Amino acid sequence: EAESMAGGGSDPIDSAVRLISMGAEKVLLTLGGSGSALVSVPEEGKPPIVIRAPCMTVEKVVDTTGAGDCYLGSLAFFIAQGCEMQTAMTRASHVASVSVQASGTQSSYPSRDALPAEFFTS
């Protein structure tokens, strides 16, 4: 979506930088099997700051429908829990990675019991 909104291009980070030049302060990207990235530009002419978060390896992707919503909801939860941004992004990527291993949208979202216990401690 970022590439389309930014007017094309194949590199998501470049697309995010273009969106920032159009007025966005920061751009959060979900990158499928490559995890996620938060892009910001501290000031014009400076290189972008990119915070990357990996995701877990998934052997078989069943259904990606709802994975982005799962990611964003989880990210909001982890931020509200007090996690640093990169930790929140990594945990949200993990939760979304679990969700793509089952069919459906909300029905594929993992329960708290299916996730590492440390996800629920700051």
Side-chain angles (χ1 to χ4, degrees):
E1 291 177 31
E3 292 154 352
S4 175
M5 292 173 66
S10 61
D11 180 54
I13 303 298
D14 288 345
S15 295
V17 171
R18 280 196 300 280
L19 287 171
I20 290 167
S21 74
M22 294 174 184
E25 188 174 315
K26 296 178 182 179
V27 177
L28 178 66
L29 303 165
T30 54
L31 303 168
S34 297
S36 59
L38 179 65
V39 183
S40 61
V41 178
E43 57 186 81
E44 195 170 325
K46 299 285 185 181
I49 296 170
V50 181
I51 299 171
R52 295 183 183 270
C55 64
M56 62 183 254
T57 301
V58 174
E59 287 188 33
K60 183 177 181 188
V61 174
V62 174
D63 185 358
T64 61
T65 306
D69 292 335
C70 182
Y71 175 89
L72 286 174
S74 300
L75 181 69
F77 171 82
F78 293 124
I79 290 170
Q81 192 180 34
C83 292
E84 295 289 328
M85 182 56 78
Q86 187 167 24
T87 299
M89 291 168 60
T90 299
R91 290 177 180 183
S93 289
H94 181 98
V95 176
S97 294
V98 172
S99 79
V100 302
Q101 297 178 66
S103 294
T105 52
Q106 292 179 357
S107 61
S108 70
Y109 297 173
S111 67
R112 182 181 183 127
D113 295 339
L115 298 169
E118 65 265 17
F119 280 17
F120 303 99
T121 59
S122 296

